[in-house]
Every structure is written in structure tokens, then in C-alpha cells.
RNA sequence: GGCCCCGUAGCUCAGGGGAUAGAGCGGCCGCCUCCUAAGCGGCAGGUCGAUGGUUCGAAUCCAUCCGGGGUCACCA
């Protein structure tokens, strides 16, 4: 395990280590057997505050393997832990929990740590620099991004930021599906707009893309090619128009992503895999493992498709890695299925040296998960784990009714429609207020509302209040920079309400690690809501109890300590919002 | 029919094997001569879909059902 300056931030991990050290000493002294499995020993914040600041299940987990009653084991461990000056009290409770109450100095130290670490407070080395590739969005380059892509874009971007914060070496990547039939459809659609640009009547036949967004493409084609493509057979212009149009579509998509403040590190092209031997090489790698064969699939169990006919295909033996059936990599006409270049693409990611892969897919691609995991497992000899996050639907609401409209496309709501109405930051936060695998309601009225109904506002309001206090403090001559506040006499923070605030701040580094382990960026949004709630509560305590007001007239020392706590809260809000891609509010308007 | 996801308070949802299951909204009752009441506090509200199993301990893990959604070979 690498030791770094950040490791001390997770207080729970620190005290867990203390417990493990004491257990090791007990083993050394022959009080418990040596070599016990400590993996399930946990140190957690108890649900009930009456149970102290931290609780460990060590005695219960180890009772059986140690051959001792849990409470007896707990008593022995408690006696040892009680000697640590950071621990104010230890009690054995329930079936054998060890509840720790920590010295106030520990919580005061948390405030100081947060102030000194600033935006880095909570940063972790959990990832230990491992290379992870997060592939997300990967929308077809056939039109503007629509609302269905927004959630995936936000989740992927926030997850990437979270993993970077937790110590991974992150690459954000977009896979351009520019190799299939749909880009030919795009080309034909754009060609009609090109004819239109020349004053001809476009023939937007069934199956072509009707969107207005192709009109500028037609005009650009006219500017580039003049009349030279008119009245020419498709074979003459298809490839050129396709490349021209997909390039323009990707420009549009990049601009859409930019409007959402999403930045990719790498764009990978499906088309670029063709003709380079990469697909063949990837399949050859599988063939060498005996995983490619010619065969005939059984019809799907239960419901057989109307046009089912037995057909010999080139198949990938994905069942060897947990899939339900083997999967075709070649169509009957000998061309690749979509799966084949995707295998090659993931092989490429493995070859580029990533230690972990993450794909963010729409929930409608759920059926694709097992085969993709099988492919990566086979290609990496099970070295590289692939986690696939499926993003459920977003239901848009406005004026109490489902919202469907698009200025440009008629049928779907574009990313721009959403960002124009809600703003990028509000959109980003709202998209993270649900786990990725449950549907999310996005209500245009609610996201713009300034009330606690709206979690974005609620967190931002806390941030604004914090800045308001800092401004006020500065006005009366209190130094509010982080270094000065960190040097304040924090032993003056003794009220339980203040300690509780510091406890919540102390949970942040732990939360980062939990969220990163599970690839669950939504946890950050929920935590920030709780943190804001605690802060609003503390703020209002000042109404009843003037000793809890942050600015104590005529007592700069006490004021500084309280403002240090306020600022530390702001530090965490800033760090958390940064992961979500949201700028903390300085004031409400 | 196979596979995947979901099922927790009236509603919308949190809850990495822990103790008496939480939050917001809605309902009821309170709090502004006081740092922003765009806020806060309290009360009421639950067989965690069902049944078995694993475990000292299950909303959480496993199995089988029941509901709801998604998906199912030459689309991507």
C-alpha cells in the first residue's frame, strides 16, 4: 500500500487502521489467533448519533474465528483503544459493537485539515494511479445530441472527475459510430439538402433524416463542391458526402458537449478500424484462444422471430465467459456486425494499457452487456475488468405535463433545448440526483425553482450563505483566508452542533472512496444535499442560541473559529460541486 | 419464453451485511425586534413486493415466485 500525504484524510480508515494495529498486537501477545481475516472489519459512522462518532464490528466479525464471545473480545479491544488520546470514550454495545467517541480535538483537526487542503480535501489515492478509460456518450454522428444523451454525458463526465479525484489516471473517451449503415443514411439525407441548396426540391424519403440541422450541411456541400455532385449517381458522391457530413455532425456534437461543459480526451472512430487490419487482428486474437467458430445459432427461446432461418455465421464463443448464447461477428453477406469493430475497439483499449474499462450505455443496450464483458475478459485474459453502467430514461416535464418538442428536429428534444432552458450546471446536478439505473424525472419548472424543492438551489443557497458570512466577517476585520482560519484557535469549537458539522465534513473523504469504488457519482450529489441541510440547520440554530452565530461581536477569536468551520464547509461544497461540474454560488440573486 | 434493471412512508427517492430503516414533497403544529425565513424545528405516516435460505446479524447476499419496465441472430 502506497503511503501518501492524502491517506490521513479519511478519518474512518485511519481509526480502522488503529483497530487493526491493536488486533495485531493482541495476536502478537497470544490473546487471539494470528492470521485472522480482517477484510470484514469495518469502521463506520453509526446511524444513530447516540452511538457515538464511530463504530466498529471487529469483535462480532472475529468472535467465531477467534473462538471468543464477541462481547469479551470487545471488552479487551476497548481497553486498548481507550488508551489512545484521540479517543474520549469507548463502549461495548448491542451484540458486540464498539462505539467510539472521539476527542473534540479530532473534529477540530478535521476543520483545519479541510482548510489546508482546500479543493484537494477528500482527494484520495484509492485508485493508486491505475489507468481507467471511461467511454461515454458515443452518440451516432447523424444529428445533434438529444436529451437521451444528456444524462449519459453527465454521468460519464462526473464519474471521470470522481475517479480522477480518487486517484485514478482517467481518460474520457467517445466512440464515433461512423462505420455503419446509418452514416450512409446521413449522407443521402445531406445530399438532398445539397440539392435543396441549389434550389431543387429535396426528396426526404422515408427512412432519411428529416431534421433541419442538415440544411447547413447542404449549403456547406454546395460551397465545397459547387454543382459537381448534381445529377451524379450515388456511387460517385456517397463516400465524400458521408465523410463531409459526419465531420460536420461531430463538430456539432462537440459543440453540444461543450455546452454541457463536457470535454473528451479521445475521440475514437469506428470507421478508422476498417481496412487497417485491426478488426481482423482482434478476432484473430480470439481465434487463437479457440473462441471463434463457424456455426448455426439456435432461435431465441420462447418467441421466435417471424423471419427466422438457420444460418451459418462466424460466431464468438461468448458463452465461455458468461454470456447466454454465442454472438455473431459477421453478417451473412460477409460484412462485420456492429459487434466486430466494437470488439476491436475494446481490444485497442486493452492494448493501450488501461487497467480498467468503464462503458456508459443507454439502458436499451442492456442486452449488449454480457457479450461485451465476455469479449474484454477473453481479450485481456481476464486482466482488465469492464464495468458497464446502463443509463435509464429521462422523462421531461413542463407545466405538469410530459414535455416533447424540438425546435430543430420536430420529434426529439435536443441537448440544446435542455441546456437553453435549464442551464448546463443545473442540468448536470439534476442528472445526478438519481442512481443511473432508475428513471429520472426532469421537471423544467422545478429545476429553475428557488426553493428546497430543488436540490441544486438548496446546495447553492448554502454556498451563498457561506460566502455571505465570509464577506461580513471580512468587513469587520476578520481574516478569512484559509491559512489564517486554519491558524485560528479551533479548540473554541466545542458546541455539539458545531462538532456535528465537523463530523459531516469528516465524512467527505470516506464518501469519495465509497462512490469511486462503486462508480456511483450520484452519491456526491446526495452527500452535498445532506451537507447543505446540516449547514442550514446550524445557521438557523443561531436564531435561538446567539452563542451559535458565526460572527460574535467583539470576540474575534471565537468568530474566527466559527468562520473556520463555515469556510471548511464551503471547501467541501466546492470540492463536491467541482466533481459534478458545477460552480459554487457566491450569492443568490 | 430467455436475459437485464426496478419494487422501501400517500408521492418522488436515498440507504457499500450491522443496532430503533432515512430524506424531500404532501398533511398537521411551531420559529423572523436576531449573520439572507429562497431557511429551520417538531408531529403523524413502514409486514423494505412475497416466501424460503446463508449469517451472530439481511432492505442489502442467494434461490424461487409476484408485479412494472427494457431487451432478444444478417440495427447501431
Amino acid at each position: 500500500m502506497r503511503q501518501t500525504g492524502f491517506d490521513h484524510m479519511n478519518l474512518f480508515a485511519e481509526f480502522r487502521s488503529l483497530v487493526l494495529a491493536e488486533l495485531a498486537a493482541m495476536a502478537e501477545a497470544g490473546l487471539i489467533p494470528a492470521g485472522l481475516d480482517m477484510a470484514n472489519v469495518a469502521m463506520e459512522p453509526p446511524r444513530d448519533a447516540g452511538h457515538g462518532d464511530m463504530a466498529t464490528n471487529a469483535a462480532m466479525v472475529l468472535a467465531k474465528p477467534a473462538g471468543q464471545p464477541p462481547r469479551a473480545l470487545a471488552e479487551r479491544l476497548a481497553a486498548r483503544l481507550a488508551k489512545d488520546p484521540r479517543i474520549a470514550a469507548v463502549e461495548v454495545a448491542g451484540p458486540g459493537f464498539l462505539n467510539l467517541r472521539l476527542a473534540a480535538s479530532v473534529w477540530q483537526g478535521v476543520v483545519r485539515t479541510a482548510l489546508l487542503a482546500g479543493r484537494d480535501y477528500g482527494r484520495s489515492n484509492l485508485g493508486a494511479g491505475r489507468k481507467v478509460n471511461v467511454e461515454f456518450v458515443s452518440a451516432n454522428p447523424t444529428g445533434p445530441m438529444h436529451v437521451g444523451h444528456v444524462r449519459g454525458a453527465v454521468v460519464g463526465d462526473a464519474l471521470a472527475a470522481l475517479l480522477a479525484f480518487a486517484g485514478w489516471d482517467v481518460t474520457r473517451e467517445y466512440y464515433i459510430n461512423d462505420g455503419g449503415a446509418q452514416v450512409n443514411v446521413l449522407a443521402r439525407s445531406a445530399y438532398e439538402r445539397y440539392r435543396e441548396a441549389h434550389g431543387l426540391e429535396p426528396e426526404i424519403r422515408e427512412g432519411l433524416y428529416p431534421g433541419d440541422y442538415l440544411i447547413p450541411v447542404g449549403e456547406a456541400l454546395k460551397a465545397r463542391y459547387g454543382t459537381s455532385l448534381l445529377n451524379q449517381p450515388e456511387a460517385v458522391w456517397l463516400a465524400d458526402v458521408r465523410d463531409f457530413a459526419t465531420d460536420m455532425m461531430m463538430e456539432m456534437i462537440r459543440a453540444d458537449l461543450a455546452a454541457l461543459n463536457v470535454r473528451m480526451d479521445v475521440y475514437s472512430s469506428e470507421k478508422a478500424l476498417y481496412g487497417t487490419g485491426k478488426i481482423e487482428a482482434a478476432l484473430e486474437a480470439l481465434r487463437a484462444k479457440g473462441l471463434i467458430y463457424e456455426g448455426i445459432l439456435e432461435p431465441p427461446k420462447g418467441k421466435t422471430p417471424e423471419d427466422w432461418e438457420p444460418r451459418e455465421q462466424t460466431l464468438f464463443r461468448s458463452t465461455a465467459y458468461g454470456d447466454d448464447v454465442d454472438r455473431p461477428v459477421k453478417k451473412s453477406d460477409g460484412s462485420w456486425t456492429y459487434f466486430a469493430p466494437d470488439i476491436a475497439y475494446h481490444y485497442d483499449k486493452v492494448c493501450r494499457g488501461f487497467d480498467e474499462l468503464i462503458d456508459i450505455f443507454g439502458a436499451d443496450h442492456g442486452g449488449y452487456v454480457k457479450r461485451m464483458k465476455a469479449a474484454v475478459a477473453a481479450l485481456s485474459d481476464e486482466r482488465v475488468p469492464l464495468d458497464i453502467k446502463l443509463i435509464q430514461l429521462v422523462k421531461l416535464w413542463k407545466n405538469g405535463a410530459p414535455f416533447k418538442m424540438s425546435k430543430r428536429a420536430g420529434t426529439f428534444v435536443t441537448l440544446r433545448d435542455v441546456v437553453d432552458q435549464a442551464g448546463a450546471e443545473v442540468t448536470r446536478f439534476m442528472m445526478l440526483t438519481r442512481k443511473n439505473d432508475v428513471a429520472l424525472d426532469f421537471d423544467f419548472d422545478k429545476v429553475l425553482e428557488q426553493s428546497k424543492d430543488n436540490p441544486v438551489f438548496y446546495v447553492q443557497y448554502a454556498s451563498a450563505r457561506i460566502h455571505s458570512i465570509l464577506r461580513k466577517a471580512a468587513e469587520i476585520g476578520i481574516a478569512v483566508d484559509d491559512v489564517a482560519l486554519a491558524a485560528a484557535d479551533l479548540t473554541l469549537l466545542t458546541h455539539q452542533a458545531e462538532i456535528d458539522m465537523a463530523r459531516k465534513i469528516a465524512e467527505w473523504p470516506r464518501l469519495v472512496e465509497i462512490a469511486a469504488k462503486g462508480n456511483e457519482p450520484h452519491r456526491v450529489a446526495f452527500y452535498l444535499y445532506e451537507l447543505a441541510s446540516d449547514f442550514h440547520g446550524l445557521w438557523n440554530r443561531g436564531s435561538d442560541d446567539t452563542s451559535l452565530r458565526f460572527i460574535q461581536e467583539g470576540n474575534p477569536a471565537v468568530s474566527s473559529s466559527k468562520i473556520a468551520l463555515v469556510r471548511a464547509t464551503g471547501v467541501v461544497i466546492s470540492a463536491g460541486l467541482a466533481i459534478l461540474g458545477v460552480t459554487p454560488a457566491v450569492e443568490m440573486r
Side-chain angles (χ1 to χ4, degrees):
Chain A
M1 177 83 79
R2 231 162 59 177
Q3 286 298 313
T4 78
F6 294 128
D7 286 350
H8 68 281
M9 282 188 187
N10 186 340
L11 214 55
F12 297 88
E14 187 180 332
F15 278 90
R16 177 176 183 270
S17 298
L18 177 65
V19 167
L20 295 186
E22 291 298 340
L23 288 167
M26 288 169 71
E28 187 85 7
L31 299 171
I32 56 172
L36 293 177
D37 180 9
M38 301 292 172
N40 290 325
V41 173
M43 182 66 81
E44 302 176 315
R47 202 158 42 198
D48 185 339
H51 293 147
D53 297 319
M54 284 188 190
T56 179
N57 59 358
M60 291 179 293
V61 170
L62 299 176
K64 183 179 270 187
Q68 298 179 28
R71 290 192 65 102
L73 194 52
E75 294 289 355
R76 286 181 163 175
L77 186 54
R80 289 170 166 267
L81 291 172
K83 291 178 186 157
D84 192 294
R86 296 168 297 176
I87 297 177
V90 190
E91 61 166 27
V92 179
F97 284 102
L98 233 67
N99 292 334
L100 309 187
R101 207 174 74 244
L102 304 185
S105 60
V106 172
W107 304 117
Q108 293 151 0
V110 165
V111 173
R112 179 167 288 118
T113 300
L115 290 170
L116 293 177
R119 293 178 66 97
D120 287 327
Y121 177 62
R123 193 176 280 280
S124 164
N125 262 307
L126 185 69
R130 286 195 297 279
K131 290 183 65 180
V132 61
N133 182 292
V134 183
E135 182 207 326
F136 60 113
V137 185
S138 299
N140 290 340
T142 56
M145 288 177 63
H146 55 81
V147 65
H149 298 121
V150 174
R151 191 175 177 192
V154 170
V155 170
D157 194 52
L159 174 57
L162 170 65
L163 292 176
F165 197 64
W168 272 266
D169 178 1
V170 180
T171 297
R172 293 165 162 87
E173 188 150 332
Y174 185 120
Y175 180 55
I176 307 170
N177 292 140
D178 54 3
Q182 79 285 353
V183 284
N184 289 333
V185 175
L186 172 72
R188 294 182 190 111
S189 309
Y191 184 77
E192 292 306 319
R193 296 301 188 179
Y194 162 75
R195 293 180 63 250
E196 184 177 26
H198 281 288
L200 301 166
E201 188 65 26
E203 295 172 25
I204 312 293
R205 298 181 301 277
E206 184 72 24
L208 294 188
Y209 301 128
D212 291 350
Y213 60 87
L214 289 176
I215 293 173
V217 178
E219 284 163 0
L221 280 167
K222 178 184 173 187
R224 169 74 175 76
Y225 290 99
T227 58
S228 66
L229 303 181
L230 289 175
N231 301 314
Q232 297 286 337
E234 184 176 293
V236 170
W237 51 260
L238 185 70
D240 286 345
V241 171
R242 184 181 60 210
D243 291 352
F244 189 93
T246 50
D247 284 352
M248 280 191 75
M249 291 301 101
M250 282 311 297
E251 270 179 48
M252 186 190 299
I253 287 170
R254 285 170 198 251
D256 282 349
L257 288 171
L260 245 196
N261 300 325
V262 173
R263 171 192 55 79
M264 294 286 173
D265 298 309
V266 177
Y267 287 85
S268 284
S269 160
E270 177 192 357
K271 191 179 66 183
L273 294 167
Y274 289 93
T276 60
K278 285 195 169 186
I279 298 174
E280 291 78 1
L283 291 175
E284 200 48 47
L286 291 175
R287 192 182 298 277
K289 299 173 197 291
L291 296 170
I292 299 290
Y293 68 101
E294 305 298 318
I296 298 171
L297 287 175
E298 296 288 313
K301 291 192 170 59
K303 197 182 106 194
T304 302
E306 308 261 331
D307 58 344
W308 175 267
E309 55 185 56
R311 180 182 300 132
E312 186 172 88
Q313 296 168 303
T314 305
L315 300 168
F316 164 49
R317 197 182 302 282
S318 55
T319 50
Y321 290 89
D323 201 357
D324 306 305
V325 293
D326 293 336
R327 305 292 178 175
V329 293
K330 260 188 189 174
K331 303 177 193 171
S332 55
D333 66 0
S335 64
W336 301 114
T337 61
Y338 174 77
F339 188 34
D342 215 357
I343 289 172
Y345 172 51
H346 281 75
Y347 188 45
D348 180 62
K349 287 195 272 193
V350 169
C351 292
R352 275 187 276 155
F354 289 104
D355 300 301
E356 300 171 30
L357 302 181
I358 298 172
D359 289 349
I360 311 282
F361 289 167
D364 57 339
H365 286 58
Y368 201 64
V369 169
K370 284 189 179 182
R371 78 191 69 172
M372 207 66 251
K373 286 189 173 182
V376 171
L379 289 165
S380 73
D381 293 317
E382 302 188 77
R383 180 184 72 81
V384 179
L386 167 64
D387 188 15
I388 298 181
K389 292 299 201 190
L390 297 179
I391 306 297
Q392 270 292 353
L393 292 178
V394 176
K395 295 178 200 158
L396 296 175
W397 295 81
K398 187 160 188 170
N399 301 324
F403 178 75
K404 292 185 195 298
M405 73 133 238
S406 171
K407 284 163 253 165
R408 289 185 291 180
T411 53
F412 55 80
V413 180
T414 65
L415 175 147
R416 291 305 180 104
D417 293 333
V418 176
V419 171
D420 287 350
Q421 290 192 46
E425 300 204 330
V426 167
T427 300
R428 291 183 61 112
F429 195 110
M430 287 305 299
M431 290 292 171
L432 291 163
T433 55
R434 290 286 178 272
K435 287 185 292 198
N436 59 282
D437 45 17
V438 303
L440 182 151
D441 287 335
F442 189 97
D443 187 328
F444 282 111
D445 305 312
K446 189 161 287 184
V447 301
L448 297 174
E449 193 174 298
Q450 304 214 326
S451 78
K452 71 183 293 194
D453 234 3
N454 175 359
V456 193
F457 168 79
Y458 189 72
V459 172
Q460 290 288 32
Y461 186 40
S463 175
R465 278 182 154 175
I466 287 165
H467 283 89
S468 163
I469 291 293
L470 293 174
R471 282 192 298 270
K472 201 139 238 166
E475 277 170 23
I476 62 168
I478 296 172
V480 296
D481 63 283
D482 291 346
V483 173
L485 290 174
D489 180 6
L490 300 181
T491 63
L492 298 170
L493 290 172
T494 54
H495 193 285
Q496 190 58 44
E498 294 164 338
I499 298 293
D500 287 347
M501 192 71 236
R503 283 167 34 144
K504 194 67 188 177
I505 290 170
E507 283 181 30
W508 169 240
R510 178 173 178 272
L511 181 114
V512 168
E513 295 189 345
I514 291 171
K517 274 181 197 168
N519 295 329
E520 296 172 326
H522 73 276
R523 287 178 184 269
V524 174
F526 281 96
Y527 170 82
L528 288 176
Y529 186 89
E530 292 170 11
L531 182 73
S533 176
D534 287 357
F535 181 74
H536 289 308
L538 181 60
W539 172 289
N540 273 72
R541 288 289 294 271
S543 302
D544 302 328
D545 182 349
T546 54
S547 76
L548 281 174
R549 290 185 197 169
F550 302 129
I551 294 174
Q552 298 287 319
E553 296 289 342
N555 196 337
V558 169
S559 298
S560 289
S561 71
K562 292 181 188 305
I563 288 158
L565 177 64
V566 170
R567 172 59 191 157
T569 306
V571 161
V572 179
I573 290 178
S574 298
L577 286 179
I579 288 172
L580 306 188
V582 177
T583 308
V586 172
E587 60 183 334
M588 300 316 287
R589 296 170 174 280

